[in-house]
Amino acid sequence: MSEPTLFQRSAEPLAARMRPRTLEEFLGQEHLLGAGKALGELIRRGDVASSIFWGPPGSGKTTLARIVAHYTDRHFEPFSAVTEGVGRVREIIKEAEERLKYHGRGTILFCDEIHRFNKAQQDAFLPWVESGIITLIGATTENPSFELTGALLSRCRVFVLEPLNEEHIKTLVRRALGDDARGLGGVGLEIDDDALALLAREADGDARRALQALEAAAEYLTGTREAGGGRRITATLISDALQKRFAKYDKGGEEHYNLISALHKAVRGSDVEGSLYWLARMLAGGEDPLYIARRLVRIAAEDVGLADPRALSLALAAKEAFHFLGSPEGELALAEATVYLATAPKSNRVYAAFGRATQAAEEHPAEGVPLHIRNAPTRLMEELGYGAGYKYAHAYEHAFVPQDYLPEALRGAKWYEPSEFGFEKDVKKRMEWWENLKRESGKGKGET
């Protein structure tokens, strides 16, 4: 009689069979479940209120919700915002009311992908959460502050789950290989150290992904046993089972903002490798290259500034080059601009000065333009003194003559202070030279 295959033993995927059932079996999230940590203590006391579990795929959101139901002796009602609607929610609420009334047992409504509900659908939970008919546990991979309504967030506690680390994944794989009842223990497979390390690394902290790859590798070996298949899971086999990894990226969600922030800060911090990595991650994730180009132009103006005036021209040239070449050739121009900006001297002095000038404009919104620098296109305006006393700079030596250009309330203000970096050293020398001319002309700093 032939040996049963994995699928003959159970129709349930390995990841579902190996789902932890107790806090002791649960891997990761020590910051939430460790001794003295908030969520762990609430679960052990059986006192978990409505919550949002926010974390990446495979971090244990669904499993943790099931564990909460087990420890609090509540009915667990799974629900997916992807496949079900508000009508099904009403049915669950009715059942929960009857369960509480006739059996005295509470209900945990676990809403997977809760961010897929629109704002009105999310608000449908509110009266039932407030009345205590259900305890809502929502799971999301997206930032709740972006995707969930303020009203719902105010009634739920948000717990942030982290990706599993490589040691967690290794432990999970070893458990699955050794578990006769739920795992692959009855098959008698072993995994090479380099294969285990590869699987732990390439799973990207996703327990489900790791177990799916392990199951695929095991199914291949058991299916080819008679054709010479062995009992050892090799790195090559794991690599085939994992197939291609896709960039973790969501152009419309939090990851978009995280990655563009990382790119901007790496360039600002003059880290070439970090800058190129985040650029590549965004492009691989499908980000619009012209959005990145616009951000590079902003970096050139904000963070490089006059320390290297060529940076702005080069960033704009990279944008035009991408327009001309398209993808993927044009992406090299973006990479060139990124490296140039990362290695350029940095100064945000113009950015800061413009911010201070903007604040002054807000604080003094109605100051009149001094008469001597007003335009006088009509006779009446000339008679009113518009332009009177204006000194034409080119009529003087060095094309410079001291006169006031700010309203009286702001005279003497200093907003821009050049740095000592790059071209701004020259800008500073020029400004000092103009100041010296002003002093030599008897028009010292702050005088009118």
Side-chain angles (χ1 to χ4, degrees), residues 279-328:
L279 172 68
R281 273 283 300 276
M282 295 188 77
L283 291 171
E287 181 57 77
D288 178 6
L290 290 177
Y291 169 79
I292 299 174
R294 289 192 292 273
R295 192 62 173 239
L296 293 176
V297 171
R298 174 185 167 181
I299 292 170
E302 177 182 336
D303 295 289
V304 177
L306 286 178
D308 186 349
R310 294 169 297 182
L312 186 56
S313 298
L314 193 138
L316 287 167
K319 176 185 74 71
E320 291 304 313
F322 185 86
H323 262 304
F324 183 67
L325 292 173
S327 183

Side-chain angles (χ1 to χ4, degrees), residues 61-101:
K61 299 184 292 295
T62 303
T63 297
L64 195 52
R66 288 182 178 274
I67 289 175
V68 169
H70 172 69
Y71 275 73
T72 58
D73 192 28
R74 299 180 217 180
H75 175 76
F76 182 81
E77 189 67 48
F79 174 89
S80 173
V82 176
T83 59
E84 301 178 273
V86 173
R88 175 58 184 147
V89 172
R90 295 194 184 99
E91 293 175 4
I92 294 172
I93 297 300
K94 184 178 179 181
E95 294 167 0
E97 285 181 305
E98 294 177 351
R99 189 177 297 114
L100 188 62
K101 180 178 180 180

Side-chain angles (χ1 to χ4, degrees), residues 371 375-388:
L371 283 174
N375 190 30
T378 68
R379 182 179 298 275
L380 174 61
M381 295 168 83
E382 286 183 6
E383 291 173 354
L384 292 174
Y386 283 37

